[in-house]
Amino acid sequence: MTHLKELEAENAYVERFNRTVRYECLTQQLFRDIEDVQNCTTAWQYFYNHERPHTSVDGKPLNFKQ
C-alpha cells in the first residue's frame, strides 16, 4: 500500500511538469516541423533547469546557488 501512495505522489509531480511544459512552451507558438519543436523544448528545458527562479533557493536561478 505504501508503494501505491509513492507512485501517486510521483505521478502528481510528473503531471505538474507536463502541464508546465505544455503551458509555458508548447502552446505559446506554432511549429513548422518536428525540428522546430525539438529546438524550442531544448531551449525551454535549459531555461527551466538553469535560469528560472527557484523558490528552494530564495527565488534565484540555480546558477546563482551558493
Side-chain angles (χ1 to χ4, degrees), residues 52-62:
R52 77 177 172 94
H54 290 261
T55 56
S56 63
V57 287
D58 298 325
K60 298 178 180 125
L62 289 179

Side-chain angles (χ1 to χ4, degrees), residues 2 4 6-7 10 12-14 16 18 20-21 23 25-26 31-32 36 38 41 43-45 52 57-58 60 62:
T2 303
L4 248 182
E6 291 171 2
L7 288 177
E10 185 176 313
Y13 287 113
V14 170
R16 171 71 167 102
N18 288 342
T20 301
V21 171
Y23 178 75
C25 183
L26 299 177
F31 300 102
R32 295 176 300 235
D36 199 20
Q38 289 171 330
T41 54
W44 180 84
Q45 185 179 17
R52 77 177 172 94
V57 287
D58 298 325
K60 298 178 180 125
L62 289 179

Side-chain angles (χ1 to χ4, degrees), residues 19-44:
R19 184 175 65 234
T20 301
V21 171
R22 192 177 320 110
Y23 178 75
E24 292 184 5
C25 183
L26 299 177
T27 61
Q28 300 299 317
Q29 64 181 342
L30 294 174
F31 300 102
R32 295 176 300 235
D33 52 31
I34 193 69
E35 185 178 350
D36 199 20
V37 175
Q38 289 171 330
N39 291 337
C40 178
T41 54
T42 298
W44 180 84

